Amino acid sequence: MAAGRARRLLGSLWIALLLGQPDPAGAAARSGSQSLLTGSLVRTFTPFYFLVEPMDVLSVRGASVIMNCSAYCETSPKIEWKKDGTFLNLVSDDRRQLLPDGSLLINSVVHSKHNKPDEGYYQCVATVESLGTIVSRTAKLTVAGLPRFISQPESSSVYKGNSAILNCEVNVDLAPFVRWEQDRQPVFLDDRVFKLPTGALIISNATDMDGGLYRCIIESGGTPKYSDEAELKIIPDPEVPQKLMFMRQPSSLTKVAGQSVVFPCVAVGFPTPYIRWMRNEEDLITEGSERFLLLAGGSLGLSDVSEEDAGTYTCIADNGNETIEAQAELTVQVPPEFLKRPANIYAHESMDIVFECEVTGKPTPTVKWVKNGDMVIPSDYFKIVKEHNLQVLGLVKSDEGFYQCIAENDVGNAQAGAQLIILDLDVAIPTLPPTSLTSATNDHLAPATTGPLPSAPRDVVATLVSTRFIRLTWRTPVSDPQGDNLTYSIFYTKEGINRERVENTSRPGETQVTIQNLMPETVYVFRVVAQNKHGPGESSVPLKVATQPEVQLPGPAPNIRAHASSPTSVTVTWETPLAGNGEIQNYKLYYMEKGQDTEQDVDVGGLSYTVNGLKKYTEYSFRVVAYNKHGPGVSTQDVVVRTLSDVPSAPPQNLTLEVRNSKSIMLHWQPPPAGTHSGQITGYKIRYRKVSRKSDVTESIGGTQLFQLIEGLERGTEYSFRVAALTVNGTGPATDWVSAETFESDLDETRVPEVPSSLHVRPLVTSIVVSWTPPENQNIVVRGYAIGYGIGSPHAQTIKVDYKQRYYTIENLDPSSHYVITLKAFNNVGEGIPLYESAVTRPHSDTSEVDLFVINAPYTPVPDPSPMMPPVGVQASILSHDTIRITWADNSLPKNQKITDARYYTVRWKTNIPANTKYKTANATTLSYLVTGLKPNTLYEFSVMVTKGRRSSTWSMTAHGTTFELVPTSPPKDVTVVSKEGKPRTIIVNWQPPSEANGKITGYIIYYSTDVNAEIHDWVIEPVVGNRLTHQIQELTLDTPYYFKIQARNSKGMGPMSEAVQFRTPKAESSDKMPNDQASGSGGKGSRPVDIGPDYKPPLGGSNSPHGSPTSPLDSNMLLVIIVSVGVITIVIVVIVAVFCTRRTTSHQKKKRAACKSVNGSHKYKGNSKDVKPPDLWIHHERLELKPIDKSPDPNPIMTDTPIPRNSQDITPVDNSMDSNIHQRRNSYRGHESEDSMSTLAGRRGMRPKMMMPFDSQPPQQSVRNTPSTDTMPASSSQTCADHQDPESTPGPYLANAQEEDSAQNLPTAHVRPSHPLKSFAVPAVPPAGSTYDPALPSTPLLTQQAPNHPVHSVKTASIGTLGRTRPPMPVVVPSAPDVQETTRMLEDSESNYEPDELTKEMAHLEGLMKDLNAITTA
């Protein structure tokens, strides 16, 4: 060890002598930052960098060129040059020589068609012996080609005051060497005369002095080359206006930041046009600007461009008569710039380091690393991490030197460097560990103190060997058996490699470590060194371990790039994977249109591929997978690119013309069909002409609005119009010519319209059809008509209709009533003189001619001008989920249905969901129209009208069409999760259908998992068939959080998933104290009923508590005892009341028996069958029906749309506080439940309805069935005089609350009053006469209400033995309310009593019930 230290000290002294330092002590004093620790020297970083780097140069043949370069170092560096990556031998070169400062001089540049020895990329290389090498940025030398003209000036003439342009197009390299001559004299450039960067000459505001012969000359160092001469003639101003047109339009440019830009824009016409500019649709102010300058002819100059200047530039030429515009895109590229430069690093051998380098630029630069002038090739120990950073693993002494980060893109390159110094192990790093050190080697050494060092660790073994990691364990050294204060360093390397890496233990005393990121099937050598406060000790014996083999698959291909090469093609390039793991056989390129779910692939043999046949101006994503003999490797990340734009491939749609007055026509149109825009629509070009003069076409370019008012037309003249869409690439195809004729004269709107010429009314039973003709004076504008009507006065109601309408039907009138009707025409000035008419609606019994159409009425006058016939044969053809084609015929056209005049059609459509939806309209000039943007699976109605000039038809007959279904576009909502009572491992999931189902839901899929971040294919799936909205999931783990998602499906596929809802299963503490965690999440809140004791009364409205945690301390046995006790007490009270009632006899007993028998069908009801039909309640095993009875005399009948009670707590017993508690003993129910599902409260309180008496079973009679989709309800019955008992029919009576309309589902229920209070335990009392009901509730009998969408469920009623289960829905027949006579009779009967024999039968039933209760209690 002493010999090794001596060798290191000699090496340090030798380096000090090379650097010109006399001795280590002098060096330390000189630098001020050097320190001597344990006898070794810490070297400082040496400044070594370029003062000047070569720049790009443009030269001409035969000229001399200097490529500048100068480097700084304390020791003068040696300068060399590379051309195209190869060192130049300047010793024997006659033309190229190295200047003293390091610059390269090239004398007499050589350049010919086949010999270009001087053109290329040059790089300066600076070297300091024993220190390192650095390289400069690369610079390009471009030699201009031989002088030649691509285009030459041509003779032309220009109006005085206009602008002229003379072309002289040359090679881009030669453009700076072009000058002009007029009449063989040099042309001097100024604000009026300007030379474009391409070489063309612009002369603005031409004068007579500008006339003459012009030629351009190329002077590139040799003999000048002259173009042909062209004569420019100046002609006087024309007396008539000349068409405005562009002589030169701006073209899209790509420039580098800092360069200058010129957008040429030259327009001619008479009057002389004025040029202005816009950038990104905002006016560009050039006056007073330092960077923007308006050049000759209207061209725009921009100096020192930056990224903020990029965008769309629009040149607008305006001469007062017309306006034209042209656009161009400016793209600004930025050379690479460093955001973070590499920093100098101190390190020890075996450490891992990272040189950081962050760059920016446009396009995004690529980064490569150079060490001492040589390219760093990525390997196991030199890696590119985070795209730009260089990681060096397991440092060795030879890794010292200068490292440079070189960034490069299409417009430039830059370099930045840093120095790496590797210190001896016994020399501490002078400063705190820099951030560039990795966590594995983030240690720094303190000065060692004297003392004993640890011996070698013992028994180093590999306890776990995998393909890419090994776990080592060892015993403490003999010198320190406890080893609590020892730390360990594990040195390892590949067998046969001298580059050793180190890994340190994380805490003192730890005797194991896991070495990761190893290579499979590779032999590694490990050794362990212990270290105490005095320093590192002896090394253990080396241990050889081989990692396990694995299938070698390629890694991802780096630097994948994609760029659009045309509007329909994209070129993708990539590099060979860094971890190829064998020979790469081929690549597979995957690509997909953005927003689609179908991925396409193509096999590629090389490192690039061009995908053709893509959609224009569409985003695509690309990725690459490399294949070797083992199969596909790791995929690259997706790169997204948009194909280039192009001119639109289709014309605008539905061009319609509307004649506004005698001098203007309004054009309306719609954009080209989706998928044909081929880019961003920047505007529309409108061309129009007189039909009589087809050669004289006028153009007008507008913005992106879908309408344009063309003014300044001639009176009574027919014009043709066509429209084309514009993108930055040009103009797309135009529509067909569409014609319209301006009015001969304008209408007057300075006064109100005159009185309509006629008014006719036609009364019906509940409506009056009003028809009229317009005012006789057709020269006054009519905007519409105001119709007023009312009984005895026309001012009660007012309706306004369109000016095109000629009839209107006033609805919802009273029969046999006298109405006064008034009609007034109005415009923007006001309403005109009214016209009055009166009519008496027909009596209710008169139904003749109700449906006759008013236009066919014999006395309907013919309007003047007569209205057109409405279109016929309107048909709706369904094309997709959002598109319907409407077609029709026009009987006013010839048989060939060819439109030759200026008529147009208006299509209107709407859907009735929601009911207040407004009509949407669109115009068409053909006999069909494509309606888009509709909702899926929705019924729409369509109608059409035709307009020609000032004449319009009425709306046609309607056609209907339902769009096709689409996959659901929204997830199920209100997802809640609750635990099942008594079954802690079972939960119930409830939800609501998606708001955008887009079709009939055919099922759901429930996903659940304990890990919300797991991949969706790892979640457990529970399918739900049909449109059920609840589902049970069993055998879950107790006290575990679960996450639930639901997605709906219809015939078209699966919709999106709902947000995850969390639910924690209960702890198995007690069956009745089981917690019910509140389900949380965006899907909604889960809740269930709470058992809070038998005396709890729900609040008004019957809504359950939203937090479902049971609070009753009673267990199920105690609750059952309480229920039985209450039942016994109730029975005793009933017996006492019954005995009391037997002492009262009234004259109504016989009447009561007769009524009871007729109700049960034992006897026919005496009297006229049309008078009264008392209600029957038939209860069977399969369904529950209520026979219909006549309408109620009460304006607010009790029968109303109220929710059906779900469980036994909805049954309200009769007591003295019935009137006060009738609204507090209600509960509402929402949704469906399976037969096995049951709420806690229903399960614990569900015994009360089960104690009611059985009902007779009789066959159903005529009824109208309304089947609500809800659970079984206990229903009241008036079948009190029973001959046969059904032991399974046990529903109880109930009283529907009229104020429950706010419940979740408005399902029809019925109220049937019992004929005797002792027929059940809970009999609803008849509301007193003073009871009030909500007048907002519907009073229409529910007899005709249907529910066709709900299936009729087969129902079995529950018996005493089924207390633990709820019942499925049963069908209910809803009757009308009884007439006044029967209602009075029932009120009287409700106060009657029975004979003793009837009471005896009741007591017998009660005794049987008590036996059943005792049996249940015992069980």
Side-chain angles (χ1 to χ4, degrees):
M1 181 174 291
R5 292 187 179 181
R7 284 196 298 270
R8 285 194 290 272
L9 181 58
L10 288 175
S12 301
L13 292 173
W14 173 246
I15 293 175
L17 289 174
L18 285 177
L19 296 176
Q21 298 171 348
D23 53 38
R30 180 179 176 184
S31 65
S33 62
Q34 298 174 349
S35 61
L36 191 64
L37 300 175
T38 65
S40 295
L41 186 68
V42 176
R43 291 171 290 137
T44 58
F45 296 111
T46 303
F48 188 17
Y49 53 87
F50 284 102
L51 296 171
V52 178
E53 294 185 74
M55 304 297 292
D56 294 347
V57 176
L58 172 63
S59 179
V60 295
R61 185 176 57 176
S64 296
V65 174
I66 293 181
M67 308 293 288
N68 293 311
C69 179
S70 177
Y72 169 79
C73 186
E74 294 176 353
T75 302
S76 297
K78 173 186 176 182
I79 302 296
E80 296 176 288
W81 282 86
K82 284 183 178 181
K83 176 182 179 294
D84 298 330
T86 303
F87 280 102
L88 293 175
N89 184 6
L90 302 178
V91 176
S92 59
D93 198 322
D94 297 333
R95 293 188 305 106
R96 292 177 287 204
Q97 65 183 81
L98 189 67
L99 299 181
D101 64 348
S103 300
L104 177 65
L105 171 63
I106 304 176
N107 291 307
S108 184
V109 171
V110 176
H111 189 81
S112 64
K113 184 176 183 180
H114 302 290
N115 184 26
K116 303 176 182 178
D118 295 333
E119 195 172 56
Y121 291 90
Y122 289 81
Q123 188 176 39
C124 179
V125 181
T127 304
V128 174
E129 290 297 332
S130 73
L131 185 61
T133 300
I134 57 175
V135 297
S136 72
R137 68 179 299 275
T138 57
K140 183 179 180 182
L141 172 60
T142 304
V143 181
L146 297 175
R148 61 187 181 89
F149 295 99
I150 300 175
S151 67
Q152 301 194 40
E154 297 178 354
S155 298
S156 61
S157 59
V158 61
Y159 290 111
K160 189 175 182 179
N162 264 339
S163 297
I165 184 165
L166 296 168
N167 289 320
C168 181
E169 190 174 354
V170 298
N171 193 328
V172 177
D173 300 333
L174 296 172
F177 304 104
V178 172
R179 67 179 182 85
W180 283 86
E181 288 184 352
Q182 177 189 7
D183 296 330
R184 305 295 176 93
Q185 296 298 319
V187 174
F188 297 100
L189 305 179
D190 53 25
D191 294 342
R192 195 176 62 85
V193 181
F194 177 74
K195 187 187 75 171
L196 294 178
T198 59
L201 184 68
I202 296 177
I203 302 173
S204 63
N205 193 18
T207 64
D208 294 333
M209 299 294 294
D210 294 322
L213 295 176
Y214 286 81
R215 66 177 181 178
C216 62
I217 305 106
I218 303 176
E219 294 180 333
S220 57
T223 303
K225 188 174 182 64
Y226 297 90
S227 71
D228 298 337
E229 286 189 326
E231 183 180 6
L232 178 64
K233 294 182 179 180
I234 310 298
I235 56 179
D237 294 341
E239 297 180 357
V240 295
Q242 296 296 316
K243 179 177 175 58
L244 185 61
M245 60 182 295
F246 282 115
M247 293 289 292
R248 176 65 65 92
Q249 297 187 30
S251 57
S252 296
L253 297 174
T254 299
K255 290 291 183 178
V256 180
Q259 292 183 343
S260 297
V261 177
V262 173
F263 280 118
C265 185
V266 179
V268 296
F270 186 79
T272 302
Y274 165 76
I275 302 293
R276 60 186 178 91
W277 285 85
M278 298 180 68
R279 183 180 66 178
N280 296 332
E281 300 183 358
E282 295 182 358
D283 287 333
L284 191 62
I285 307 300
T286 57
E287 295 181 4
S289 173
E290 297 180 356
R291 297 175 54 244
F292 291 96
L293 181 64
L294 199 61
L295 304 174
S299 299
L300 179 67
L302 172 59
S303 60
D304 191 20
V305 297
S306 62
E307 280 191 275
E308 292 74 18
D309 296 324
T312 302
Y313 288 78
T314 306
C315 171
I316 302 174
D318 187 357
N319 67 353
N321 293 335
E322 55 181 322
T323 301
I324 57 176
E325 63 181 46
Q327 291 182 333
E329 290 285 337
L330 174 61
T331 303
V332 179
Q333 296 181 327
V334 181
E337 295 179 3
F338 287 98
L339 300 177
K340 186 172 187 180
R341 294 173 175 267
N344 295 331
I345 295 178
Y346 281 115
H348 291 134
E349 284 190 272
S350 302
M351 275 188 175
D352 301 341
I353 63 166
V354 173
F355 282 110
E356 296 182 343
C357 179
E358 292 185 19
V359 296
T360 184
K362 188 176 181 180
T364 303
T366 59
V367 169
K368 60 184 179 181
W369 284 85
V370 171
K371 178 204 169 189
N372 289 333
D374 296 325
M375 186 77 65
V376 174
I377 300 175
S379 64
D380 293 341
Y381 298 97
F382 287 86
K383 297 182 178 181
I384 305 297
V385 296
K386 295 184 180 179
E387 296 184 359
H388 298 155
N389 299 339
L390 176 66
Q391 182 182 40
V392 185
L393 305 177
L395 290 174
V396 295
K397 195 68 176 178
S398 60
D399 291 333
E400 274 193 343
F402 286 88
Y403 290 79
Q404 290 177 278
C405 173
I406 298 179
E408 183 178 10
N409 64 7
D410 295 342
V411 292
N413 62 89
Q415 61 83 24
Q419 185 180 5
L420 169 63
I421 293 180
I422 297 180
L423 302 174
D424 293 334
L425 292 176
D426 55 356
V427 178
I429 295 176
T431 58
L432 291 176
T435 57
S436 58
L437 294 178
T438 63
S439 60
T441 58
N442 199 11
D443 62 323
H444 55 287
L445 302 178
T449 59
T450 59
L453 299 176
S455 60
R458 298 173 291 169
D459 302 336
V460 179
V461 294
T463 57
L464 181 60
V465 179
S466 180
T467 57
R468 294 185 179 273
F469 70 88
I470 292 177
R471 179 177 296 171
L472 297 177
T473 59
W474 58 87
R475 294 171 57 202
T476 56
V478 176
S479 61
D480 194 348
Q482 299 297 326
D484 294 337
N485 297 321
L486 295 181
T487 58
Y488 298 90
S489 297
I490 298 86
F491 295 87
Y492 64 98
T493 181
K494 289 182 183 180
E495 188 178 30
I497 303 296
N498 61 356
R499 183 181 289 273
E500 199 172 42
R501 299 182 61 191
V502 64
E503 185 82 21
N504 297 321
T505 54
S506 57
R507 59 180 181 274
E510 187 176 20
T511 58
Q512 69 173 10
V513 72
T514 299
I515 308 297
Q516 299 183 0
N517 301 319
L518 304 179
M519 298 299 295
E521 204 172 5
T522 305
V523 178
Y524 287 87
V525 180
F526 298 88
R527 61 185 183 91
V528 182
V529 175
Q531 179 175 321
N532 60 15
K533 62 181 179 179
H534 304 302
E538 297 181 11
S539 172
S540 67
V541 177
L543 172 68
K544 292 184 179 182
V545 183
T547 52
Q548 298 290 331
E550 72 173 2
V551 176
Q552 302 290 325
L553 296 176
N559 295 328
I560 178 173
R561 294 182 177 182
H563 68 274
S565 49
S566 76
T568 58
S569 62
V570 170
T571 299
V572 186
T573 62
W574 59 92
E575 297 177 7
T576 305
L578 302 179
N581 294 328
E583 182 183 358
I584 301 297
Q585 295 181 345
N586 71 304
Y587 299 89
K588 194 176 284 281
L589 172 63
Y590 295 87
Y591 62 96
M592 179 174 60
E593 182 180 345
K594 207 68 185 289
Q596 301 295 320
D597 54 2
T598 303
E599 195 172 41
Q600 304 181 60
D601 60 82
V602 61
D603 290 326
V604 183
L607 297 177
S608 66
Y609 188 80
T610 299
V611 182
N612 297 305
L614 304 178
K615 296 181 181 179
K616 298 177 180 179
Y617 199 66
T618 303
E619 277 192 335
Y620 287 86
S621 63
F622 298 85
R623 64 186 182 92
V624 174
V625 176
Y627 281 71
N628 64 9
K629 62 182 180 179
H630 300 293
V634 182
S635 172
T636 64
Q637 295 291 327
D638 287 357
V639 293
V640 179
V641 66
R642 184 187 293 273
T643 52
L644 299 179
S645 61
D646 199 358
V647 297
S649 57
Q653 304 179 92
N654 300 323
L655 173 62
T656 59
L657 309 179
E658 180 183 347
V659 181
R660 287 294 182 90
N661 50 46
S662 63
K663 292 186 178 181
S664 62
I665 295 178
M666 174 66 77
L667 281 69
H668 290 271
W669 62 89
Q670 290 181 332
T676 65
H677 293 192
S678 303
Q680 194 74 29
I681 299 294
T682 59
Y684 292 90
K685 179 184 290 185
I686 301 169
R687 304 182 70 191
Y688 60 95
R689 66 191 182 191
K690 295 180 183 178
V691 174
S692 59
R693 297 179 60 186
K694 295 186 177 181
S695 59
D696 188 9
V697 178
T698 303
E699 278 192 5
S700 174
I701 297 179
T704 56
Q705 72 274 8
L706 300 177
F707 59 88
Q708 181 73 36
L709 181 64
I710 305 298
E711 299 179 300
L713 305 178
E714 298 180 10
R715 298 175 181 267
T717 305
E718 187 174 8
Y719 286 87
S720 294
F721 297 83
R722 68 191 308 180
V723 180
L726 300 174
T727 64
V728 294
N729 303 86
T731 307
T735 62
D736 294 333
W737 290 101
V738 180
S739 301
E741 184 178 348
T742 55
F743 297 146
E744 284 288 351
S745 60
D746 291 331
L747 300 181
D748 182 15
E749 201 174 2
T750 60
R751 48 188 174 140
V752 298
E754 296 184 359
V755 63
S757 56
S758 67
L759 172 62
H760 296 273
V761 295
R762 182 183 177 205
L764 302 176
V765 178
T766 59
S767 62
I768 296 177
V769 179
V770 183
S771 60
W772 63 90
T773 54
E776 294 181 356
N777 187 355
Q778 296 285 313
N779 295 322
I780 303 177
V781 174
V782 175
R783 299 289 180 185
Y785 296 91
I787 304 170
Y789 66 94
I791 298 179
S793 171
H795 306 299
Q797 299 284 342
T798 300
I799 296 171
K800 291 189 175 183
V801 298
D802 191 74
Y803 75 95
K804 303 174 184 177
Q805 201 153 332
R806 295 293 181 266
Y807 73 94
Y808 183 80
T809 302
I810 304 174
E811 305 281 358
N812 300 322
L813 304 181
D814 296 332
S816 303
S817 300
H818 185 275
Y819 283 88
V820 179
I821 298 162
T822 180
L823 177 73
K824 294 179 286 187
F826 66 86
N827 57 19
N828 291 333
V829 178
E831 295 181 343
I833 302 173
L835 196 60
Y836 291 90
E837 190 62 81
S838 62
V840 178
T841 52
R842 298 180 181 180
H844 203 291
S845 59
D846 187 357
T847 60
S848 60
E849 300 181 331
V850 171
D851 297 324
L852 291 181
F853 195 55
V854 66
I855 296 302
N856 298 327
Y859 48 80
T860 299
V862 178
D864 185 20
S866 60
M868 301 184 69
M869 295 178 61
V872 297
V874 181
Q875 293 184 351
S877 302
I878 317 301
L879 300 183
S880 68
H881 66 275
D882 65 348
T883 305
I884 294 180
R885 181 180 295 280
I886 308 302
T887 57
W888 59 89
D890 191 344
N891 284 345
S892 61
L893 291 176
K895 290 183 178 181
N896 60 6
Q897 293 287 288
K898 185 175 181 181
I899 303 173
T900 58
D901 50 18
R903 70 180 64 199
Y904 66 91
Y905 301 88
T906 303
V907 183
R908 72 175 182 179
W909 65 92
K910 66 171 289 190
T911 178
N912 291 327
I913 301 174
N916 60 350
T917 305
K918 295 182 179 180
Y919 277 103
K920 293 184 178 180
T921 61
N923 293 333
T925 56
T926 60
L927 295 177
S928 67
Y929 181 76
L930 197 66
V931 183
T932 59
L934 304 179
K935 296 180 180 178
N937 194 42
T938 304
L939 175 65
Y940 286 85
E941 65 176 43
F942 304 85
S943 54
V944 187
M945 69 181 297
V946 60
T947 302
K948 180 181 179 183
R950 299 172 186 169
R951 299 169 57 207
S952 299
S953 73
T954 57
W955 290 105
S956 69
M957 300 292 285
T958 59
H960 295 81
T962 302
T963 51
F964 292 152
E965 291 187 0
L966 183 67
V967 295
T969 52
S970 67
K973 57 185 180 180
D974 300 336
V975 181
T976 59
V977 184
V978 296
S979 61
K980 186 172 182 180
E981 179 64 23
K983 295 184 178 181
R985 293 180 183 273
T986 302
I987 58 96
I988 300 173
V989 185
N990 303 296
W991 64 90
Q992 291 297 314
S995 56
E996 296 175 3
N998 298 337
K1000 181 181 179 182
I1001 297 298
T1002 59
Y1004 297 86
I1005 291 183
I1006 302 176
Y1007 298 80
Y1008 65 96
S1009 171
T1010 57
D1011 182 9
V1012 71
N1013 297 318
E1015 295 291 334
I1016 196 62
H1017 54 73
D1018 294 330
W1019 290 48
V1020 183
I1021 295 177
E1022 284 275 345
V1024 180
V1025 180
N1027 56 358
R1028 289 171 48 205
L1029 299 177
T1030 184
H1031 185 73
Q1032 288 192 17
I1033 300 177
Q1034 302 176 351
E1035 300 301 322
L1036 299 181
T1037 305
L1038 294 176
D1039 194 24
T1040 302
Y1042 284 85
Y1043 299 88
F1044 297 83
K1045 296 181 180 180
I1046 305 181
Q1047 64 178 161
R1049 70 170 180 265
N1050 58 17
S1051 62
K1052 293 297 182 181
M1054 306 299 301
M1057 292 186 188
S1058 63
E1059 294 290 329
V1061 174
Q1062 182 184 4
F1063 179 83
R1064 179 179 287 276
T1065 51
K1067 298 180 181 178
E1069 296 177 358
S1070 173
S1071 60
D1072 20 270
K1073 293 185 179 181
M1074 195 168 297
N1076 181 15
D1077 290 275
Q1078 180 72 28
S1080 62
S1082 62
K1085 296 182 178 180
S1087 62
R1088 59 172 179 170
V1090 188
D1091 187 329
I1092 53 176
D1095 297 329
Y1096 173 75
K1097 297 181 180 180
L1100 182 63
S1103 59
N1104 290 330
S1105 172
H1107 304 285
S1109 299
T1111 58
S1112 175
L1114 301 177
D1115 59 15
S1116 59
N1117 294 331
M1118 180 64 71
L1119 183 62
L1120 191 59
V1121 172
I1122 292 175
I1123 293 175
V1124 172
S1125 302
V1126 173
V1128 172
I1129 294 172
T1130 306
I1131 293 173
V1132 173
I1133 294 174
V1134 169
V1135 172
I1136 294 173
V1137 174
V1139 172
F1140 177 78
C1141 291
T1142 56
R1143 299 178 181 179
R1144 297 180 57 192
T1145 58
T1146 66
S1147 59
H1148 299 294
Q1149 291 178 355
K1150 294 182 181 180
K1151 187 184 305 181
K1152 176 62 184 177
R1153 291 184 181 180
C1156 180
K1157 291 178 180 179
S1158 65
V1159 166
N1160 284 309
S1162 300
H1163 303 282
K1164 293 182 179 179
Y1165 190 78
K1166 296 179 181 181
N1168 192 343
S1169 62
K1170 295 183 179 179
D1171 294 340
V1172 177
K1173 294 180 181 179
D1176 285 348
L1177 180 61
W1178 308 107
I1179 301 181
H1180 294 272
H1181 295 289
E1182 301 299 325
R1183 60 187 180 274
L1184 177 66
E1185 297 183 347
L1186 281 77
K1187 293 180 62 179
I1189 58 179
D1190 288 61
K1191 66 178 183 179
S1192 172
D1194 195 340
N1196 294 308
I1198 298 174
M1199 178 180 58
T1200 181
D1201 287 341
T1202 58
I1204 296 176
R1206 174 180 178 229
N1207 51 40
S1208 60
Q1209 72 179 20
D1210 298 333
I1211 314 304
T1212 308
V1214 172
D1215 55 27
N1216 293 334
S1217 60
M1218 170 64 72
D1219 296 337
S1220 62
N1221 293 337
I1222 192 169
H1223 299 311
Q1224 299 179 1
R1225 290 174 167 262
R1226 307 297 302 146
N1227 198 357
S1228 60
Y1229 174 65
R1230 218 181 260 265
H1232 301 266
E1233 278 196 1
S1234 65
E1235 189 172 348
D1236 290 297
S1237 62
M1238 181 176 184
S1239 69
T1240 304
L1241 191 56
R1244 298 185 180 182
R1245 302 183 61 185
M1247 299 179 184
R1248 293 179 61 185
K1250 308 303 179 183
M1251 295 191 292
M1252 287 180 274
M1253 306 307 298
F1255 290 88
D1256 289 330
S1257 176
Q1258 295 187 3
Q1261 300 182 9
Q1262 276 189 339
S1263 62
V1264 177
R1265 181 172 289 114
N1266 190 345
T1267 307
S1269 295
T1270 183
D1271 279 355
T1272 307
M1273 63 171 185
S1276 62
S1277 171
S1278 57
Q1279 291 177 269
T1280 58
C1281 299
D1283 294 332
H1284 304 284
Q1285 305 289 329
D1286 185 353
E1288 291 186 15
S1289 302
T1290 60
Y1294 74 99
L1295 178 63
N1297 189 342
Q1299 294 185 357
E1300 257 193 0
E1301 193 178 16
D1302 295 335
S1303 279
Q1305 299 180 12
N1306 288 334
L1307 299 175
T1309 63
H1311 295 266
V1312 182
R1313 297 174 178 79
S1315 55
H1316 195 280
L1318 292 181
K1319 282 301 179 180
S1320 67
F1321 285 1
V1323 181
V1326 177
S1331 299
T1332 60
Y1333 291 89
D1334 190 350
L1337 296 175
S1339 60
T1340 306
L1342 302 177
L1343 183 62
T1344 59
Q1345 293 187 6
Q1346 301 293 327
N1349 294 329
H1350 298 291
V1352 178
H1353 302 279
S1354 63
V1355 177
K1356 291 186 178 181
T1357 56
S1359 64
I1360 292 297
T1362 60
L1363 288 174
R1365 304 172 73 87
T1366 59
R1367 293 162 291 176
M1370 62 170 66
V1372 178
V1373 176
V1374 183
S1376 301
D1379 284 335
V1380 178
Q1381 296 86 348
E1382 179 61 13
T1383 305
T1384 306
R1385 188 177 300 133
M1386 292 177 68
L1387 290 172
E1388 293 172 355
D1389 290 351
S1390 66
E1391 299 173 359
S1392 303
N1393 57 5
Y1394 284 103
E1395 293 294 332
D1397 57 342
E1398 294 177 331
L1399 184 59
T1400 301
K1401 293 181 181 179
E1402 294 294 334
M1403 294 303 296
H1405 289 303
L1406 294 176
E1407 291 174 359
L1409 181 61
M1410 288 301 298
K1411 291 179 180 180
D1412 292 337
L1413 291 174
N1414 290 333
I1416 294 172
T1417 307
T1418 305

